[in-house]
Amino acid sequence: MAVDYTQEAPVIEGNYSFRDISDIISKPMETIPDKKYFIALGISLSMFGVGILCWILTFVYGVGKWGNNVPVGWGFDITNFVFWIGIGHAGTLISAILFLFRQRWRTGIARFAEAMTIFAVINAALFPLFHVGRPWLGYWLFPYPNNYKLWVNFTSPLLWDVFAVSTYFIVSLIFWYIGLIPDFASLRERTKNKIKKVIYSIFSLGWRFSHRHWHNYEMIYLILAGFATPLVLSVHTIVSFDFAVSIIPGWHTTIFPPYFVAGAVFSGFAMVQNVLIFIRKIFNMEDIITIDTLEKMNKIIIVTGTMVGYAYGMEFFIAWYSGNPPEQFAFLNRAFGDYAWAYWIMVTCNVVFPQLFWIRKIRRNIIIMFIIGVIVNIGMWFERFVIVVTSLSRDFLPSSWDYFKPTLVDIGILLGSFGFFFTLIILFTKTLPVVSIAEVKAVLKQAQPSHHGEAQNG
Amino acid sequence: MDKKLFCLAAIFDKVDDITKAAKKVAESEYKFFDVHTPYPVHGLSQKMKLKPSTLGYIALILGLSGAALALLLMYYTKTLNYPQNIGGKPTFALPAFIPITFEVTVLLASVGTVLAMLFIYFKFPNNSHPLHGTEYMDKVSLDKFGLIIEAKDPQFDEFKVKEFLGSLNPEVIMPIYYDPEDLNFKAEIFHPKFMLLLGVVIVLTAGISYILLNKWKQIPPRNWMWEQPRLNVQSSSSFFSDGFGMRTPVPGTVSRGNFPYVYSGLPDTMAKNLINPVLMNEYHLKKGKEHYNTFCSPCHGYFGKGDSRLNNQFPNPPSLHSDKLRNWTDGQIYHVITVGQNIMPSYASQLEPIERWQIVNYIRALQRALNAREEDLNE
């Protein structure tokens, strides 16, 4: 198939007026949800309910309800934490890094991906909070003057994590909100409902589309993108420091920071792609979230997937090359030990299947790309499981070696975290514009002035 | 009634028209003009001759402050306030401080710049701007492009501005008036709604502070750590046959360090010959001063002059520098601390015997200090 690469493909397909864009994007918020919506919400809420039950059990009886035990002190909880933080990374990558690279195809998916970031980070933050044992004392993680005259240990990677994750959450939230302000104002002008009008007025802060404001607004967007880019790289780097700074064989490697960041983008893009496939279909946004956009996301999946595959290989090479017996044992144990099943699930899902995206037809086939997206996320969950559990289950003291088995509460919490995430997403689709109205208008064909001073046919 | 004019507005349909119009109005004599577009139009800032945004400088200043703040906090806590040896790292471990410094820099710069833009640059929240609720706002938020010239412009003349806007070929020209309700609005302190809000804020603040300061530590799950299956003092227990949780001493024994004071209930002269076992040296004087300042000074004053700090809630005791006291033996002072005298209670439960002797030594030092002898000057 011949593709003309000299001409940039339009971001939005079809001929839409500004009014059409507002109508399409505002429609989910202006219509009463149908039966399917409530079925989907019911399923995710049930999963969430199981999760809440398991969180309550953990809260009352303590982390003894989990499978964590010596020597595997980090089990499902930290696996899930790293997994969900990783899911969040795609959102910031789309909204900040692609913005800096002037990738205009991001406009259709940025809002949604940012929302997913926020939900994923909330989800992730719950795990370390409960992991500390007494979650109601979680504020002890922050440095504040207290009657014990104690300060937190600023040299610990676990504390860096506290700062990284909370900064990441706050910055993502304001980035998201800044993008929402003009849309709140659009909705404020559209709505006939008095209560909605009050709510939109409050959140729009009185935005009035003044170009004197847009002028500064575009600057702040650039500044925030500039800050969020190193921030998102730092967050998963610091998460990887939790492992890399310790001395457990299989953790203590310098490849961890880039490897974790690539893995995070990999799984995050797979998740965003999966959810967007539903959104564009259900809300008739196929022309805004185009098949071209999904194809580009699949390209990023294959790039990051290959990077992750390279890291798997390089870990083995360094284990051999270092001549360090515990290191060599740790990696042989990964591939051929008790958890070999998890390791080979990880390798197949992350390295083999995404390579199918080299074929253009598969990149553009909704059903196959959805399946590969699911496979990638299964693989990435197992990657974290393999890193956390296999390394710990064979520590330096053979007498304490043990096989980690999750309890029902562990599995319930994992299920609940997906329920929580999807509940928030389903609620989000009906309460806030899932695509940025102002940004999409700005990338329409007729949106920007022709530079010859002549009126364009719009 | 005369309505007060806010501005004259013109609405355009095409983006090229608005860029042309923006260029013309920026070149004209009007200074208080603005353009409204449903999305940011590229190049419009140059056409409007807007100065480059200064937000970058704010971000720079805030980012540098964040870095300095984080480093100073870590330096203060880890090096000055509570130095700890963690894995042999230096107390000021700069490489280990980098991640947090970076995070705080980003946090302060991004949050601060956004707040500065919204609340200082834009003066938000502002939902009572005259443009709100007008047909003009309805259109420019959706698919039209608008241009306004405000009435406060010194060159503003309704007729001339109308003519000028007409020359730009807009779709429609409309005047926008102030909302009379907003104009006549006066902030009243005693407005019932405001008072209600104030009341709610007071009750909430007071309630939350009360709970946080007094109840927070006692409510579950905060108290789970101390509600454990163990015996608490003064509580019953089914473990022992008598139902008491606490045990009485075995008859005929004395617990360690609890040697009974033999002169209790007897006059101070009986203790005259008790021997002070504590040396008069710097260590014991320092300890004695600590205990004296804690337990004795509230009534006797820091120098034993009887200058109570209790503002007559208690009668002031006599001075410790009287001849009577100076001529007492150490044993007599010790006796009074142990069993009390007149209104002064016994301090036996608060102070160990050695601590009482240390106080005796300190009182001796005070007495000497206020009645120095000639020979003391030579030292």
Side-chain angles (χ1 to χ4, degrees):
Chain A
M1 186 178 167
V3 186
D4 180 10
Y5 289 105
T6 57
Q7 208 73 36
E8 199 179 342
V11 181
I12 308 295
E13 281 170 4
N15 268 326
Y16 286 103
S17 67
F18 295 128
R19 188 180 288 274
D20 295 336
I21 294 294
S22 280
D23 287 344
I24 292 172
I25 298 174
S26 317
K27 201 180 161 207
M29 285 163 286
E30 287 162 355
T31 48
I32 293 163
D34 59 2
K35 215 164 137 192
K36 280 184 209 153
Y37 178 83
F38 286 110
I39 291 172
L41 190 64
I43 293 170
S44 68
L45 272 178
S46 323
M47 285 162 69
F48 184 28
V50 173
I52 290 179
L53 186 73
C54 292
W55 282 126
I56 291 174
L57 283 173
T58 310
F59 189 84
V60 176
Y61 296 106
V63 288
K65 283 274 159 197
W66 296 349
N68 303 15
N69 211 333
V70 175
V72 186
W74 287 4
F76 265 33
D77 48 346
I78 302 300
T79 306
N80 293 340
F81 164 69
V82 181
F83 175 76
W84 282 112
I85 285 280
I87 294 291
H89 275 49
T92 322
L93 187 106
I94 291 169
S95 62
I97 299 182
L98 295 185
F99 176 81
L100 291 184
F101 283 117
R102 294 278 181 265
Q103 295 296 310
R104 295 195 314 156
W105 57 273
R106 69 176 269 289
T107 41
I109 55 174
R111 166 73 45 75
F112 202 88
E114 282 169 44
M116 283 179 57
T117 297
I118 289 159
F119 304 151
V121 174
I122 297 173
N123 213 338
L126 284 173
F127 290 95
L129 183 68
F130 275 78
H131 179 87
V132 298
R134 285 192 276 162
W136 53 92
L137 298 176
Y139 60 90
W140 283 6
L141 292 166
F142 293 95
Y144 68 101
N146 56 67
N147 54 343
Y148 309 107
K149 297 197 173 171
L150 284 172
W151 296 101
V152 288
N153 179 10
F154 290 109
T155 51
S156 160
L158 300 179
L159 191 83
W160 303 345
D161 234 10
V162 172
F163 274 82
V165 173
S166 45
T167 302
Y168 185 46
F169 176 70
I170 294 168
V171 172
S172 302
L173 190 67
I174 56 170
F175 202 16
W176 190 53
Y177 179 64
I178 282 289
L180 273 167
I181 290 175
D183 287 3
F184 276 126
S186 296
L187 295 169
R188 177 194 71 205
E189 298 302 322
R190 274 179 78 87
T191 186
K192 303 278 181 288
N193 183 322
K194 266 192 179 168
I195 298 168
K196 274 189 180 175
K197 187 149 188 138
V198 171
I199 294 170
Y200 291 143
S201 298
I202 290 170
F203 283 107
S204 73
L205 296 173
W207 180 262
R208 48 181 189 271
F209 299 95
S210 156
H211 191 77
R212 287 173 195 273
H213 290 174
W214 282 123
H215 179 60
N216 281 315
Y217 179 92
E218 291 210 290
M219 179 51 102
I220 198 104
Y221 216 82
L222 187 67
I223 290 173
L224 282 180
F227 280 127
T229 300
L231 177 66
V232 66
L233 300 181
S234 85
V235 172
H236 229 61
T237 301
I238 289 175
V239 169
S240 81
F241 282 167
D242 291 349
F243 302 94
V245 174
S246 80
I247 53 162
I248 304 283
W251 286 5
H252 190 62
T253 56
T254 45
I255 202 173
F256 259 35
Y259 160 35
F260 266 54
V261 172
V265 173
F266 183 47
S267 64
F269 262 72
M271 184 68 98
V272 175
Q273 178 242 55
N274 272 353
V275 180
L276 284 179
I277 286 173
F278 283 100
I279 297 299
R280 67 196 285 274
K281 182 82 193 155
I282 293 169
F283 298 121
N284 296 324
M285 290 177 180
E286 274 121 331
D287 289 335
I288 296 175
I289 304 165
T290 60
I291 192 85
D292 285 338
T293 306
L294 292 176
E295 189 189 350
K296 282 178 178 122
M297 296 183 70
N298 292 337
K299 284 178 182 170
I300 291 185
I301 289 176
I302 189 173
V303 169
T304 47
T306 312
M307 283 160 81
V308 167
Y310 168 79
Y312 295 161
M314 190 46 72
E315 278 186 327
F316 272 85
F317 172 73
I318 291 294
W320 165 74
Y321 189 67
S322 67
N324 181 351
E327 190 79 11
Q328 288 169 351
F329 168 74
F331 281 96
L332 284 178
N333 179 53
R334 256 186 210 180
F336 306 109
D338 287 348
Y339 291 99
W341 57 274
Y343 183 80
W344 293 109
I345 289 178
M346 164 187 110
V347 171
T348 347
C349 293
N350 290 349
V351 186
V352 180
F353 279 103
Q355 299 303 323
L356 290 174
F357 280 145
W358 285 106
I359 302 160
R360 187 164 191 268
K361 271 198 179 142
I362 290 180
R363 278 207 305 274
R364 295 177 75 88
N365 185 316
I366 300 282
I367 294 169
I368 298 179
M369 79 164 90
F370 178 79
I371 293 169
I372 293 179
V374 174
I375 288 173
V376 164
N377 266 320
I378 293 172
M380 282 311 290
W381 190 88
F382 272 102
E383 181 199 297
R384 278 65 178 250
F385 179 80
V386 164
I387 291 172
V388 171
V389 173
T390 26
S391 305
L392 283 174
S393 72
R394 293 284 178 273
D395 65 352
F396 288 111
L397 201 62
S399 62
S400 62
W401 287 0
D402 205 355
Y403 189 82
F404 168 82
K405 278 193 216 79
T407 61
L408 277 180
V409 175
D410 274 323
I411 294 164
I413 288 176
L414 176 60
L415 190 73
S417 70
F418 278 94
F420 178 58
F421 182 71
F422 288 119
T423 304
L424 287 173
I425 283 188
I426 291 170
L427 293 176
F428 163 67
T429 57
K430 278 284 178 186
T431 42
L432 293 171
V434 289
V435 178
S436 169
I437 300 173
E439 276 188 48
V440 169
K441 280 181 186 170
V443 295
L444 286 183
K445 269 180 274 177
Q446 70 273 32
Q448 299 303 342
S450 58
H451 295 289
H452 312 292
E454 285 174 44
Q456 216 177 16
N457 300 327
Chain B
M1 195 186 89
D2 249 6
K3 288 198 277 186
K4 196 177 168 207
L5 188 68
F6 169 69
C7 68
L8 280 175
I11 287 181
F12 300 84
D13 186 41
K14 293 261 160 27
V15 67
D16 281 316
D17 300 341
I18 191 71
T19 41
K20 267 187 239 163
K23 189 161 184 273
K24 276 191 189 144
V25 72
E27 284 161 357
S28 73
E29 72 268 32
Y30 303 111
K31 291 281 167 278
F32 290 88
F33 69 93
D34 204 348
V35 176
H36 296 88
T37 53
Y39 57 88
V41 176
H42 294 168
L44 203 53
S45 305
Q46 287 91 321
K47 297 273 171 19
M48 285 168 73
K49 297 200 173 117
L50 295 182
K51 286 187 190 115
S53 173
T54 47
L55 280 169
Y57 297 103
I58 297 207
L60 178 71
I61 293 166
L62 286 170
L64 290 177
S65 329
L69 191 79
L71 275 177
L72 277 176
L73 176 74
M74 287 187 278
Y75 173 70
Y76 170 72
T77 56
K78 298 277 294 176
T79 305
L80 300 179
N81 189 259
Y82 202 133
Q84 293 172 70
N85 183 344
I86 293 161
K89 290 170 194 151
T91 50
F92 188 76
L94 190 60
F97 289 171
I98 296 292
I100 289 181
T101 310
F102 171 76
E103 301 297 334
V104 178
T105 307
V106 168
L107 182 67
L108 208 69
S110 38
V111 175
T113 317
V114 166
L115 294 181
M117 180 188 81
L118 292 178
F119 300 118
I120 299 170
Y121 279 56
F122 296 174
K123 299 194 174 60
F124 280 172
N126 180 2
N127 274 308
S128 60
H129 194 272
L131 286 179
H132 285 310
T134 59
E135 198 195 336
Y136 176 80
M137 182 51 60
D138 199 27
K139 282 184 170 165
V140 298
S141 72
L142 186 58
D143 56 354
K144 302 284 180 189
F145 308 89
L147 187 149
I148 61 166
I149 294 176
E150 288 180 42
K152 69 179 174 190
D153 195 292
Q155 305 292 328
F156 191 86
D157 177 288
E158 201 172 339
F159 183 72
K160 272 192 191 162
V161 170
K162 228 173 218 171
E163 203 178 21
F164 173 74
L165 287 177
S167 74
L168 301 171
N169 291 324
E171 242 181 16
V172 64
I173 298 177
M174 55 170 85
I176 292 171
Y177 298 98
Y178 281 102
D179 188 346
E181 250 178 61
D182 287 342
L183 273 187
N184 300 328
F185 178 77
K186 276 194 198 84
E188 285 176 68
I189 282 196
F190 295 107
H191 193 280
K193 273 186 190 166
F194 179 71
M195 294 309 281
L196 190 72
L197 179 76
L198 210 61
V200 170
V201 169
I202 289 170
V203 169
L204 277 181
T205 321
I208 291 169
S209 328
Y210 175 76
I211 288 170
L212 278 183
L213 294 175
N214 299 300
K215 300 281 173 217
W216 171 237
K217 287 200 171 171
Q218 278 93 48
I219 54 176
R222 288 295 305 257
N223 56 5
W224 284 356
M225 207 58 178
W226 65 68
E227 279 183 7
Q228 292 181 13
R230 59 141 196 249
L231 262 183
N232 290 319
V233 287
Q234 308 286 0
S235 57
S236 62
S237 162
S238 57
F239 184 76
F240 299 107
S241 55
D242 58 1
F244 288 108
M246 290 166 85
R247 303 284 82 202
T248 48
V250 178
T253 59
V254 174
S255 63
R256 191 184 281 256
N258 253 353
F259 201 74
Y261 184 64
V262 289
Y263 302 119
S264 50
L266 299 171
D268 59 68
T269 43
M270 294 297 289
K272 212 170 186 164
N273 298 324
L274 278 179
I275 293 170
N276 186 346
V278 170
L279 290 175
M280 192 65 142
N281 63 15
E282 198 187 337
Y283 171 77
H284 289 300
L285 278 179
K286 215 177 136 196
K287 284 284 167 194
K289 182 181 180 182
E290 267 176 33
H291 301 313
Y292 178 88
N293 284 351
T294 307
F295 294 102
C296 315
S297 78
C299 294
H300 288 283
Y302 284 114
F303 304 105
K305 289 177 175 172
D307 43 347
S308 163
R309 295 202 299 279
L310 298 178
N311 294 330
N312 298 328
Q313 293 171 54
F314 250 50
N316 285 8
S319 165
L320 298 179
H321 301 287
S322 62
D323 285 342
K324 178 188 156 199
L325 261 286
R326 279 216 301 279
N327 294 328
W328 265 13
T329 64
D330 284 0
Q332 279 169 299
I333 301 178
Y334 178 83
H335 177 85
V336 170
I337 299 174
T338 309
V339 301
Q341 189 184 59
N342 301 334
I343 200 167
M344 173 173 161
S346 157
Y347 278 81
S349 60
Q350 287 104 311
L351 292 161
E352 294 288 317
I354 186 142
E355 292 168 339
R356 289 173 233 157
W357 286 116
Q358 286 165 338
I359 291 177
V360 170
N361 277 4
Y362 184 64
I363 291 173
R364 286 294 183 220
L366 284 179
Q367 287 175 342
R368 180 77 176 270
L370 289 189
N371 287 285
R373 284 174 236 153
E374 194 100 357
E375 72 220 44
D376 292 341
L377 291 171
N378 297 334
E379 280 177 20

